[in-house]
Amino acid sequence: MTRIRPRRRRLLWAAAVAVLSVVLLAATGAVILYHRLDGNIAHVDINAALGGDRPEDSPNGSQDILVLGSDARPGAGGAHGSPSGEARADTAMIVHLNEDRDGATLVSIPRDTLVPRPACQRPDGTTAPPARAAMFNEAYAIGGPACAVKTVERFTGVRIDHYIEIDFQGFEKLIDTLGGVDITTREPIDDADSHLSLPAGSHTLDGEQALALVRTRKAIGDGSDLGRIGLQHEFLRALAEQIGSIGLLADPKRLYDLAAAATSAVTTDSQLASVSALTALGRTLHTIGPDNMRMLTVPVRYDPADGNRVLPLEPQCAQVWHALRRDEPVPASATRGSAAEEEGTPGVVTRAR
């Protein structure tokens, strides 16, 4: 058995949501854009799909958002996921905003984490039976956003207030609309599976290359899924910084094209399905600086039966979810002993200067 080891990550403090919000905040004064772009946003009614069998909403005024990065988005009204498992959620994160909206906690969930999955309705109307230990990203593949939210709530006991899904193909289009992303790689990246070959140095990545980079796994570090999460965050940091530095207000056409690409790349819950709602969320995120945002990965240990899978580490996991439900800081002891917090290789991607 090959044992994979994680690497310490430079976490992007607002992940892909920051990329979306940077674009939308730049368009705040252009009211006409709101009406044109609202129709781009696909949405699902999570509350109707899940009914009343859910954790109670915390009375403290905090807010919890599930953010997924997926490789399949059929569009508004379409079926998310399929019984064949072709749709996958490659990235998952719970964004917890505190009651005062002056602090936040971001908890990444590795896709290979084995978690209890509840019974979920498939797109064809049949029901997938519950599983005692299933890979986390299997939930999305089986039942789309509703099953993903249901699984997170069952795993954590935390009520999910909002849902944001960012489609990787829409992400690819956003990069091309931007004109590419300038990055620097500290070491060569050569991935035969995604046909990506980058020597160490500076590069301008087009959409296809950028998508291959954030999907690569075996070509960096020790080949772990935990390492891949870190690479995604490093790239998205570079992307967010570049979007924030290009002066969109001075180029209305470019601003509109980017906003159109960004809104076309997302699926949200029904309550967030408007530019005004997403902009309000983006404004909140931008008022919370990195110093007031705690970032961690679900405490995990390697599965003794399969080194490519991780298991929730207890009682540390329980400490994380208890803190989120009570709107309290996650204690340092909650990540002690977690495989995700072990020392690893340094980051490999930065923004080209």
Side-chain angles (χ1 to χ4, degrees), residues 6-12 15 89-93 107-113 136 213-217 220 223-237 296-298 300 310 340:
R7 42 175 295 219
R8 185 170 295 278
R9 303 169 312 283
R10 294 183 179 181
L11 290 173
L12 175 68
D90 275 359
T91 305
M93 175 186 300
V107 185
S108 293
I109 306 176
R111 68 176 187 176
D112 292 341
T113 308
F136 173 76
L213 178 66
V214 299
R215 303 287 304 273
T216 193
R217 174 172 173 171
I220 53 104
S224 73
D225 187 44
L226 299 175
R228 187 177 61 88
I229 291 173
L231 181 67
Q232 291 174 349
H233 290 162
E234 290 165 0
F235 174 80
L236 288 169
R237 181 189 294 276
L296 63 144
T297 297
V298 170
V300 293
V310 292

Side-chain angles (χ1 to χ4, degrees), residues 331-348:
S333 60
T335 57
R336 194 169 297 142
S338 172
E341 300 302 317
E342 294 176 7
E343 287 291 341
T345 57
V348 297

Side-chain angles (χ1 to χ4, degrees), residues 42-53:
H43 59 91
V44 291
D45 192 338
I46 297 293
N47 290 330
L50 297 186
D53 184 20

Side-chain angles (χ1 to χ4, degrees), residues 4-325:
I4 56 175
R5 296 187 305 253
R7 42 175 295 219
R8 185 170 295 278
R9 303 169 312 283
R10 294 183 179 181
L11 290 173
L12 175 68
W13 68 271
V17 179
V19 176
L20 176 65
S21 62
V22 165
V23 175
L24 297 182
L25 280 172
T28 298
V31 178
I32 191 172
L33 293 183
Y34 282 19
H35 302 294
R36 294 183 181 178
L37 298 176
D38 276 353
N40 291 346
I41 303 171
H43 59 91
V44 291
D45 192 338
I46 297 293
N47 290 330
L50 297 186
D53 184 20
R54 306 178 65 185
E56 291 186 9
D57 201 2
S58 298
N60 50 44
S62 63
Q63 192 171 86
D64 294 281
I65 305 163
L66 177 62
V67 180
L68 292 186
S70 74
D71 67 354
R73 177 178 180 272
H80 291 258
S82 68
S84 66
E86 294 179 355
R88 293 172 294 178
D90 275 359
T91 305
M93 175 186 300
I94 298 173
V95 179
H96 174 85
L97 304 177
N98 70 6
E99 180 179 12
D100 295 331
R101 302 297 189 266
D102 60 1
T105 303
L106 275 66
V107 185
S108 293
I109 306 176
R111 68 176 187 176
D112 292 341
T113 308
L114 296 178
V115 300
R117 179 183 51 73
C120 288
Q121 185 174 1
R122 299 186 181 98
D124 62 5
T126 62
T127 298
R132 188 164 58 92
M135 277 180 56
F136 173 76
N137 70 340
E138 180 185 289
Y140 182 93
I142 287 175
C147 189
V149 171
K150 191 175 183 180
T151 299
V152 169
E153 291 186 340
R154 186 66 55 87
F155 174 41
T156 66
V158 174
R159 171 83 171 224
I160 298 299
D161 300 293
H162 293 297
Y163 173 85
I164 299 176
E165 176 187 327
I166 301 174
D167 172 60
F168 282 157
Q169 292 193 13
F171 166 84
E172 181 179 337
K173 181 179 179 181
L174 175 65
I175 300 302
D176 285 333
T177 303
L178 182 63
V181 176
D182 300 325
I183 66 164
T184 297
T185 55
R186 293 194 178 98
E187 61 186 55
I189 299 175
D190 193 3
D191 188 341
D193 292 338
S194 62
H195 309 291
L196 178 68
S197 181
L198 296 175
S202 296
H203 310 276
T204 298
L205 303 185
D206 62 20
E208 183 177 3
Q209 291 173 313
L211 183 59
L213 178 66
V214 299
R215 303 287 304 273
T216 193
R217 174 172 173 171
K218 298 178 181 178
I220 53 104
D222 50 29
S224 73
D225 187 44
L226 299 175
R228 187 177 61 88
I229 291 173
L231 181 67
Q232 291 174 349
H233 290 162
E234 290 165 0
F235 174 80
L236 288 169
R237 181 189 294 276
L239 172 60
E241 289 178 356
Q242 183 166 330
I243 290 178
S245 69
I246 59 178
L248 290 176
L249 289 177
D251 190 343
K253 183 181 185 305
R254 193 179 195 190
L255 167 60
Y256 178 81
D257 290 344
L258 282 170
T263 50
S264 296
V266 299
T267 297
T268 72
D269 64 278
S270 299
Q271 293 174 308
L272 275 184
S274 69
V275 173
S276 59
L278 287 172
T279 301
L281 174 60
R283 188 176 293 112
T284 297
L285 290 172
H286 277 278
T287 62
I288 302 174
D291 292 341
N292 296 315
M293 189 165 290
R294 173 78 189 278
M295 295 160 288
L296 63 144
T297 297
V298 170
V300 293
R301 62 183 176 90
Y302 292 101
D303 181 3
D306 186 347
N308 292 306
R309 302 286 180 264
V310 292
L311 302 170
L313 182 66
E314 298 295 353
Q316 289 89 328
C317 268
Q319 289 181 278
V320 174
W321 312 136
H322 179 77
L324 264 56
R325 288 192 297 268

